[in-house]
Amino acid sequence: MKPKIWLSSPHMSGAEQTYIKEAFDTNWVAPLGPNVNGFEKDLESYLKENRHVAALASGTSALHLSLILLGVTNGDEVICQSKTFSASANPIVYQGATPIFIDSEAETWNICPIQLEIAIKDRITKGKKPKAIIAVHLYGMPYKVDEIHSIAEKYEIPVIEDSAESLGSHYKGQNCGTFGDLSILSFNGNKIITTSGGGALVTRSEENKNKAVFLATQARDNAPHYQHTHIGYNYRMSNIVAGIGRGQMTILDSHVANRRSNHELYYNTFKSIEQITFLQEPNGHFSNRWLSCILLDSFETREGLRLALENENIESRPLWKPMHQQPVFKDAPNYLNGVSDDLFNRGLCLPSGSNLSKEELDRVISAINTYFAAC
Ligand SMILES: *Cc1c(COP(=O)(O)O)cnc(C)c1O
C-alpha cells in the first residue's frame, strides 16, 4: 500500500521547539506566561486594524465566549451560516439559544445576503430579533463582507466572524479576522497554522479582551481568596501550546503561498476536464485556499472520484454537510435556497497541505486523471 496522503496535516517551521524549550527552562508550564503574551502580540501585528487578541483553548471556546460577551442567553435566537463545521453552531446551544440557519450564495459558498435579510425580517415578525449573526469564511474564501455587514448594521445585529479557516485571507486588503464585532481563529491540527489545539478571540476593544480572559480563567474576582461573582470557564491557552503558535507565525505567509499554489496547480491541471469546476476569487476576495475544493458534475461522479482516491490511499472529503441537514439540528428554523445542498452533493476537498511534496501532488493528479480517463 502506498503511503497515505492526508487532506491537511500539521507543518512545523522548526522554530516551535525554541519557544517550548524556553517555556520549560523558565518553568512557565501554565495557562499563562511569555509565549501566551508573545503569541497574542504576533497575531495582533499580523492582523493589524488595532485589534486585541485573547489566546484560548480552541476556536470553539472563542465562539462560546463571543456569545457570552454579546449577552446571548436562554431562549435567544442566533443566526448562523448553515454550510460550516458544527463548531460554528454548537456554542449557540451551549447558551440555551436557538440557531437559525441560513443558506449560502454560489460565489463564495458563504452566508447568502438575500436569505439573511429574509430571515431577519421573518424572525422579527415572529417576535424575536436575532441576537447575533455568525458568518464564516469557508475554506478560506472571504464571505461577502460589505453585503453581510451592511445588513447587520441596518438591523443593528452584531456579527461574530468565524475566521477559523481563513487566517491569511483578506477582503479588499483588510485581513479576515478583523471584520466582526468579535472574531475567532482556530489553530486545531489541520488548520493553516496549528498549535496542536487552540484558538483565539479577536476584539475591537481592550475591555472585551479583558472580559474574555477573565471568563476564560474561571472568572476570579480581584481578591486574595478565590471569590466569584460570575460563572467562569477554563478556556485559556497554555504557555506550551502558545510556544508552538509563535513558531508557526514565522511561516504563516509561506503556508498561505503553498496552499494557494496547490490550488493553482489543480486548477491548471483540471480546468479542461468538463466535469470539474472551481470556485474563483470574486473581485476583492483573497483566499488562503486552506482547502482546495472542486465541484463535480454530479453526486455520482463525486462519490466515484472520492472512492477512486481512497483506493490509492489518498484522503479527500465531501464539502461540509450543511447544519440544516444534521440530525442534531433538525428542529432548528432555516432559510434555504438549495445552494448548500447542491455544494454538499457535488463538492470534494482535495489534499491541500502546505507540506505536500511534488511526488504526493503528482500521485493525486495522476489518480484523478486516471479516474476521468476511465469515465
Ligand atoms: C475548526 C473550526 C472551528 C472550531 O475550531 P476548534 O479550534 O477546532 O475548536 C470553528 N469553525 C470553523 C468553521 C472551523 O473550521
Side-chain angles (χ1 to χ4, degrees):
M1 181 70 111
K2 290 178 198 150
K4 175 104 176 178
I5 299 179
W6 298 98
L7 199 65
S8 175
S9 70
H11 185 188
M12 295 297 116
S13 70
E16 292 81 7
Q17 295 194 11
T18 316
Y19 293 109
I20 295 171
K21 181 169 187 309
E22 201 172 281
F24 274 80
D25 290 349
T26 53
N27 206 25
W28 278 105
V29 185
L32 77 168
N35 282 338
V36 175
N37 301 333
F39 186 36
E40 289 175 344
K41 287 275 159 314
D42 290 347
L43 286 164
E44 285 166 1
S45 9
Y46 186 89
L47 291 171
K48 308 198 177 71
E49 316 298 332
N50 295 317
R51 293 298 184 267
H52 304 269
V53 172
L56 300 171
S58 63
T60 310
S61 56
L63 282 160
H64 189 194
L65 290 182
S66 301
L67 294 169
I68 295 170
L69 289 174
L70 294 175
V72 171
T73 179
N74 215 11
D76 285 341
E77 293 187 350
V78 174
I79 283 181
C80 184
Q81 181 167 322
S82 185
K83 190 162 191 65
T84 185
F85 178 45
S86 64
S88 304
N90 285 335
I92 300 170
V93 180
Y94 302 167
Q95 283 308 97
T98 303
I100 309 292
F101 291 116
I102 310 293
D103 216 321
S104 293
E105 35 77 12
E107 284 159 50
T108 74
W109 299 355
N110 294 309
I111 187 165
C112 171
I114 297 167
Q115 294 301 320
L116 173 63
E117 187 156 17
I118 291 173
I120 294 172
K121 285 185 180 157
D122 190 48
R123 298 327 292 175
I124 293 173
T125 308
K126 294 197 160 92
K128 265 184 200 168
K129 181 171 144 181
K131 274 286 191 68
I133 298 166
I134 300 177
V136 189
H137 310 291
L138 219 55
Y139 306 115
M141 182 64 77
Y143 59 76
K144 294 191 170 180
V145 173
D146 287 348
E147 287 88 336
I148 298 302
H149 286 258
S150 79
I151 293 168
E153 271 160 40
K154 178 170 161 193
Y155 294 94
E156 299 181 322
I157 303 173
V159 175
I160 299 174
E161 179 196 11
D162 182 339
S163 201
E165 302 179 0
S166 60
L167 183 57
S169 301
H170 46 84
Y171 174 82
K172 297 187 175 172
Q174 185 177 333
N175 282 306
C176 290
T178 63
F179 290 106
D181 293 274
L182 295 162
S183 305
I184 73 101
L185 303 172
S186 167
F187 316 112
N188 210 331
N190 65 357
K191 297 289 154 73
I192 191 139
I193 64 166
T194 180
T195 59
S196 69
L201 178 68
V202 184
T203 69
R204 288 170 181 260
S205 72
E206 182 148 34
E207 189 196 350
N208 264 344
K209 174 191 166 163
N210 292 339
K211 276 190 200 162
V213 170
F214 169 77
L215 292 169
T217 50
Q218 305 290 18
R220 293 195 299 259
D221 293 345
N222 192 7
H225 47 272
Y226 275 46
Q227 177 181 295
H228 308 272
T229 45
H230 293 268
I231 293 295
Y233 302 85
N234 182 4
Y235 278 174
R236 195 70 162 129
M237 179 178 278
S238 99
N239 195 51
I240 304 296
V241 157
I244 308 178
R246 289 181 87 180
Q248 289 275 284
M249 285 306 285
T250 63
I251 34 83
L252 170 55
D253 282 334
S254 81
H255 280 14
V256 173
N258 290 346
R259 291 201 183 235
R260 285 180 62 85
S261 107
N262 292 338
H263 184 271
E264 204 173 292
L265 176 67
Y266 289 136
Y267 177 72
N268 288 327
T269 312
F270 301 127
K271 65 180 176 218
S272 55
I273 298 182
E274 68 182 303
Q275 297 98 321
I276 301 184
T277 50
F278 288 82
L279 181 65
Q280 302 293 341
E281 285 168 323
N283 248 342
H285 295 242
F286 178 97
S287 169
N288 66 12
R289 297 292 188 185
W290 170 56
L291 295 185
S292 287
C293 307
I294 54 175
L295 284 183
L296 288 312
D297 59 334
S298 69
F299 171 77
E300 289 71 26
T301 312
R302 199 287 305 280
E303 266 312 273
L305 178 60
R306 189 181 69 76
L307 295 170
L309 290 169
E310 195 171 278
N311 263 333
E312 294 293 319
N313 212 17
I314 296 169
E315 184 182 27
S316 70
R317 192 177 299 152
L319 301 188
W320 297 124
K321 179 172 184 167
M323 291 305 112
H324 69 265
Q325 283 200 40
Q326 299 288 354
V328 71
F329 291 125
K330 66 180 186 332
D331 298 329
N334 55 45
Y335 295 82
L336 306 180
N337 57 17
V339 171
S340 67
D341 288 344
D342 179 49
L343 293 171
F344 175 57
N345 283 333
R346 297 193 292 120
L348 193 67
C349 307
L350 299 178
S352 305
S354 48
N355 49 0
L356 287 173
S357 65
K358 178 164 186 320
E359 290 68 34
E360 289 175 313
L361 287 164
D362 284 346
R363 259 179 68 198
V364 177
I365 286 169
S366 110
I368 296 176
N369 280 331
T370 307
Y371 174 74
F372 282 104
C375 269

